[in-house]
Amino acid sequence: QYVGTQLPFAYVQLVALTTLLNNTVSSFRAGVLLAGAVHRKDFATGTAAVLFVVVGSVVYQGVLSITHMISDPFGTDIHDFPIVCYMATSQSIAEAFLGASKKLPFLIPAQRLPH
């Protein structure tokens, strides 16, 4: 029943928006820092600004990739839940409960009980 269930739409949109905003603001900040660093001939600050943008963008894109991977937790990929094992375990537990319920003493008809 829940195999095709996706993550809530608002969550997916929030992660995508956060990623986009972070990459945009970081790129703008790095551009300003890089322009100032080139003007002052401070190449260490410029290099650090560019590295910050590259590493930050890679991290946020990784978050987007993880969001995509966990959007269907009951698929057949290696990182998904083992749904077949879960269903088999649930079935055996349900059958055990059903079998145990047939052996309860209060289910014996009243005429067969001692008075």
Side-chain angles (χ1 to χ4, degrees):
Q1 176 180 356
Y2 299 108
V3 173
T5 303
Q6 297 177 350
L7 286 176
F9 185 69
Y11 174 76
V12 173
Q13 293 301 316
L14 182 65
V15 171
L17 179 66
T18 303
T19 302
L20 177 66
L21 286 176
N22 179 64
N23 291 345
T24 303
V25 171
S26 295
S27 298
F28 181 75
R29 178 181 175 272
V32 170
L33 287 175
L34 186 60
V38 168
H39 181 69
R40 293 186 313 270
K41 296 188 187 327
D42 181 15
F43 299 112
T45 303
T47 305
V50 170
L51 283 176
F52 178 77
V53 167
V54 170
V55 171
S57 297
V58 167
V59 167
Y60 270 93
Q61 291 299 331
V63 169
L64 272 182
S65 296
I66 291 172
T67 301
H68 175 70
M69 286 189 313
I70 66 171
S71 65
D72 181 20
F74 298 114
T76 57
D77 297 330
I78 190 70
H79 54 77
D80 292 333
F81 293 127
I83 190 66
V84 175
C85 294
Y86 175 74
M87 288 177 13
T89 303
S90 296
Q91 180 182 0
S92 66
I93 291 172
E95 288 172 352
F97 273 115
L98 185 62
S101 70
K102 291 179 180 177
K103 299 177 184 174
L104 293 176
F106 61 82
L107 292 179
I108 299 173
Q111 66 269 18
R112 291 177 43 195
L113 288 176
H115 291 78

